[in-house]
Amino acid sequence: MILCDIGNTTFHFLINGKHKKYFLDEKIPVFDDEVYYISVNEKASKKLLKNNPTSKNIEEIINFKTSYKGLGIDRAVACCSYEDIVIVDAGSAITVDIMEKGIHQGGFILLGIRSFISSYPKISKKLKFSFEKDINLDKIPLQTKDAIQYAMLKSIILPIKEVSFNKNIIFTGGDGLVLSKYFENSVYKKDLIFENMKRIIDANNCIA
Amino acid sequence: MILCDIGNTTFHFLINGKHKKYFLDEKIPVFDDEVYYISVNEKASKKLLKNNPTSKNIEEIINFKTSYKGLGIDRAVACCSYEDIVIVDAGSAITVDIMEKGIHQGGFILLGIRSFISSYPKISKKLKFSFEKDINLDKIPLQTKDAIQYAMLKSIILPIKEVSFNKNIIFTGGDGLVLSKYFENSVYKKDLIFENMKRIIDANNCIA
């Protein structure tokens, strides 16, 4: 079984426990094995299906109810089967979703760290900075490079803190590990999406 | 007396109580009256001085001490003469400065509202949105356009809330009025910089 998470920039495969990424405009292989996928990009889904026409879309078998209009399938898969949790997927955007008693309560979308970093110098060249990972968040900054990084981290951390004060948090995504360190009640699961995809497939196979 | 606040994009004049802005590449007048200015842009200062060589730089007469390295003169003027206050200047960037017992404690620099608005669609076209001013911040969002605006406002509001829990806040700048509405302990002073420039000039004239 091969898993594939199609995002806005890559096909992200899990093949025999190994990660393999292809950009959306790259050639993707024809696989012998069965492919299960999720996708937020219809054009890319078609590309996968062209080479691998029996690929199965997990969106069609997932059992996930929410009042949120237009929730990305990646966010649904990340939240699926948790009771009380905050799920933070920290990529180019940072999605934050709240589960309460097994029901999705909604969520919000913060700018990703890279987006913050590239936005400051567009305001003024003086606001260009390199991200350091050891900024002291307990002290009001006394120079510009700290003033920016403090603000950026607070802009990301405080909205997550506010909705997770009585809940545990699972971080995933490229910047998940860095961010998880600012939260005591958190774990980082690099492969949260793939793990949950597997869970959904297994549950579905039981039912079938 | 004419006041001038030179920023990164405009010369902002106060002439007989009336506001007049010129972009930095525009031609600026020769004034009969005395000009007092502050500037964060050296090239633009020279341009002002070329036409008005007797213009006085308030940076040379202000009495403002801080441990903050490289604090912009606009931020110093905005904070000057306050005892316990948080000053928020919400423009292209949002500077937040903290005064305690008349001493500047430092500050931080958030992205401005316009910067947030332009950054989201760069991540994905799906994240394009128009800013509405009546987003409910007490409810977890249930659709993407709310999810973005909620996150953007929380990213700005919560870091300011955290440092102002026992202090009053003065908002100024283009987005100051919009933001001040989210804070009970706040006032909006459109002309904070010019008011304080006048105060500094008056105090200096007394001493002289």
Side-chain angles (χ1 to χ4, degrees), chain A residues 94-105:
Chain A
I94 300 172
T95 56
V96 181
D97 284 283
I98 296 103
M99 294 291 290
E100 228 165 80
K101 295 178 186 159
I103 294 166
H104 183 246
Q105 303 295 313

Side-chain angles (χ1 to χ4, degrees), chain B residues 115-130:
Chain B
S115 181
F116 273 97
I117 291 174
S118 67
S119 298
Y120 276 100
K122 280 176 199 146
I123 297 170
S124 159
K125 279 179 200 163
K126 287 177 197 163
L127 301 183
K128 198 172 173 176
F129 71 105
S130 312

Side-chain angles (χ1 to χ4, degrees), chain B residues 31 42 50-51 55 57 79 93 100 128-129 145 148 169 185 188 197:
Chain B
F31 296 103
E42 212 181 325
K50 200 176 174 193
N51 277 8
S55 300
N57 188 351
C79 289
E100 227 167 80
K128 198 172 173 176
F129 71 105
K145 78 178 177 66
I148 295 169
I169 312 171
N185 51 334
Y188 171 64
M197 282 172 78

Side-chain angles (χ1 to χ4, degrees), chain B residues 36-80:
Chain B
Y36 287 86
Y37 72 97
I38 58 168
S39 173
V40 294
N41 185 312
E42 212 181 325
K43 203 175 150 196
S45 311
K46 282 182 186 158
K47 188 171 171 178
L48 174 74
L49 285 163
K50 200 176 174 193
N51 277 8
N52 301 276
T54 62
S55 300
K56 289 186 178 65
N57 188 351
I58 287 188
E59 198 160 0
E60 287 165 14
I61 60 167
I62 192 173
N63 180 17
F64 185 77
K65 286 182 180 61
T66 177
S67 310
Y68 191 108
K69 284 179 208 153
L71 189 76
I73 183 65
D74 48 346
R75 290 169 67 185
V77 167
C79 289
C80 192

Side-chain angles (χ1 to χ4, degrees), chain A residues 12-41:
Chain A
H12 185 180
F13 288 97
L14 190 73
I15 306 164
N16 295 328
K18 282 182 185 160
H19 292 263
K20 175 78 191 157
K21 283 188 181 184
Y22 297 89
F23 286 109
L24 294 189
D25 57 359
E26 273 185 283
K27 211 176 164 182
I28 51 167
V30 173
F31 296 103
D32 293 329
D33 227 344
E34 204 160 25
V35 179
Y36 287 85
Y37 72 97
I38 59 167
S39 173
V40 295
N41 186 312

Side-chain angles (χ1 to χ4, degrees), chain A residues 113-132 143-152, chain B residues 8 40 68-72 74-75 89 91-96 107-112 115:
Chain A
I113 287 183
R114 219 173 298 172
S115 180
F116 273 97
I117 292 173
S118 66
S119 297
Y120 276 101
K122 280 177 200 148
I123 297 171
S124 158
K125 279 179 202 164
K126 288 176 196 163
L127 301 183
K128 197 171 174 177
F129 70 105
S130 311
F131 181 44
E132 298 155 23
Q143 55 179 320
T144 299
K145 78 176 177 67
D146 297 343
I148 295 169
Q149 296 185 76
Y150 172 100
M152 174 182 87
Chain B
N8 281 311
V40 294
Y68 191 108
K69 284 179 208 153
L71 189 76
D74 48 346
R75 290 169 67 185
D89 191 343
S92 50
I94 300 172
T95 56
V96 181
F108 53 90
I109 306 170
L110 298 158
L111 290 181
S115 181

Side-chain angles (χ1 to χ4, degrees), chain B:
Chain B
M1 182 170 75
I2 290 166
L3 301 178
C4 180
D5 175 8
I6 306 176
N8 281 311
T9 47
T10 60
F11 295 92
H12 184 179
F13 287 98
L14 189 73
I15 307 165
N16 295 326
K18 281 180 186 159
H19 292 261
K20 176 78 190 156
K21 284 189 181 182
Y22 298 90
F23 286 109
L24 295 189
D25 57 0
E26 272 185 285
K27 212 176 163 184
I28 52 166
V30 174
F31 296 103
D32 292 330
D33 227 347
E34 207 162 22
V35 179
Y36 287 86
Y37 72 97
I38 58 168
S39 173
V40 294
N41 185 312
E42 212 181 325
K43 203 175 150 196
S45 311
K46 282 182 186 158
K47 188 171 171 178
L48 174 74
L49 285 163
K50 200 176 174 193
N51 277 8
N52 301 276
T54 62
S55 300
K56 289 186 178 65
N57 188 351
I58 287 188
E59 198 160 0
E60 287 165 14
I61 60 167
I62 192 173
N63 180 17
F64 185 77
K65 286 182 180 61
T66 177
S67 310
Y68 191 108
K69 284 179 208 153
L71 189 76
I73 183 65
D74 48 346
R75 290 169 67 185
V77 167
C79 289
C80 192
S81 81
Y82 290 103
E83 283 295 311
D84 288 276
I85 201 100
V86 174
I87 304 280
V88 180
D89 191 343
S92 50
I94 300 172
T95 56
V96 181
D97 284 284
I98 295 103
M99 294 291 289
E100 227 167 80
K101 295 179 186 162
I103 294 164
H104 183 246
Q105 302 296 313
F108 53 90
I109 306 170
L110 298 158
L111 290 181
I113 287 183
R114 218 172 300 171
S115 181
F116 273 97
I117 291 174
S118 67
S119 298
Y120 276 100
K122 280 176 199 146
I123 297 170
S124 159
K125 279 179 200 163
K126 287 177 197 163
L127 301 183
K128 198 172 173 176
F129 71 105
S130 312
F131 181 44
E132 299 155 22
K133 284 166 190 174
D134 57 349
I135 292 297
N136 183 350
L137 293 182
D138 298 322
K139 217 179 150 299
I140 305 295
L142 288 172
Q143 56 179 319
T144 300
K145 78 178 177 66
D146 297 343
I148 295 169
Q149 295 185 76
Y150 172 101
M152 174 182 86
L153 286 170
K154 290 284 183 182
S155 286
I156 295 171
I157 290 168
L158 293 180
I160 300 172
K161 280 241 156 98
E162 194 182 49
V163 293
S164 65
F165 70 102
N166 60 352
K167 289 192 182 64
N168 290 317
I169 312 171
I170 300 175
F171 282 88
T172 191
D175 293 320
L177 186 59
V178 171
L179 291 177
S180 68
K181 290 177 181 164
Y182 293 98
F183 295 83
E184 278 180 20
N185 51 334
S186 79
V187 290
Y188 171 64
K189 290 194 179 188
K190 183 172 178 283
D191 290 333
L192 177 68
I193 300 276
F194 287 136
E195 283 170 22
N196 285 5
M197 282 172 78
K198 266 185 224 160
R199 264 205 272 185
I200 294 161
I201 295 161
D202 289 346
N204 196 258
N205 287 344
C206 287
I207 295 161

